[in-house]
Amino acid sequence: MTMRHPSFPSRLKLPGVLLIAGLTTACSNYQYKDYQGDWAPESMTPYDLSDNAPDAPVVYFATTRYRALGVPFHRLLLATHVDGQLLEGAGRRSILDVSGKQALRLTPGKHSLSWCWASMNALGTGGAKCGFGAQGVEFRSGQRYVVDFTTRDDISGPPGREVSTITITSEIRNLDTHEVIYPLPTVANP
């Protein structure tokens, strides 16, 4: 009588499948520092630069959490400057340490904004890119806006020397009308 012993790989099959399933199906609960992780503008407290104006426009900066290969990520935009002035506590101190505001109350009218994009994960790695901005954007009384972003991830190069590139594109749109106010659409000459 011969006894069969399961091979080492087959003994790991079920726990491995359960681990992978758990990592890829669970929601991301990681958030960078104390910044809000999920998009819920009603729960963001704007940094007031309007002198408490009653119908001040409010500008929110996008935030999202997700998982990639089971690793929880938090990607967000943080306001750093308004009209060329550095916001209190804002800025980039290192590749893994960036700070700013997630929402602003402004006086109605034209303003210039600067912001950083950050992508951090639960493994303690990530990065940030600052210097994004929009000049002379009109923010109307009583309106709500969002500075949003999209990313495109590309990998190039030969095997073993791949380079990962993230392209970040930003826009500002009115949350109520969905009108994009930055960048303004370009009109082709007829």
Side-chain angles (χ1 to χ4, degrees), residues 41-79:
E42 66 280 357
S43 62
M44 291 181 171
T45 304
Y47 183 72
D48 193 357
L49 296 169
S50 72
D51 294 326
N52 294 313
D55 268 347
V58 180
V59 182
Y60 300 98
F61 289 78
T63 182
T64 187
R65 295 191 295 182
Y66 68 97
R67 284 184 177 269
L69 299 174
V71 178
F73 280 82
H74 184 190
R75 284 188 173 171
L76 67 160
L77 299 179
L78 295 169

Side-chain angles (χ1 to χ4, degrees), residues 8-89:
F8 182 71
S10 67
R11 281 186 274 167
L12 291 179
K13 200 180 283 184
L14 180 59
V17 168
L18 292 174
L19 176 64
I20 289 170
L23 288 175
T24 58
T25 59
C27 292
S28 172
N29 60 0
Y30 170 75
Q31 68 187 51
Y32 178 60
K33 295 185 178 181
D34 290 327
Y35 293 110
Q36 184 169 312
D38 297 315
W39 175 245
E42 66 280 357
S43 62
M44 291 181 171
T45 304
Y47 183 72
D48 193 357
L49 296 169
S50 72
D51 294 326
N52 294 313
D55 268 347
V58 180
V59 182
Y60 300 98
F61 289 78
T63 182
T64 187
R65 295 191 295 182
Y66 68 97
R67 284 184 177 269
L69 299 174
V71 178
F73 280 82
H74 184 190
R75 284 188 173 171
L76 67 160
L77 299 179
L78 295 169
T80 57
H81 296 79
V82 174
D83 299 329
Q85 298 298 310
L86 181 66
L87 298 173
E88 180 184 339

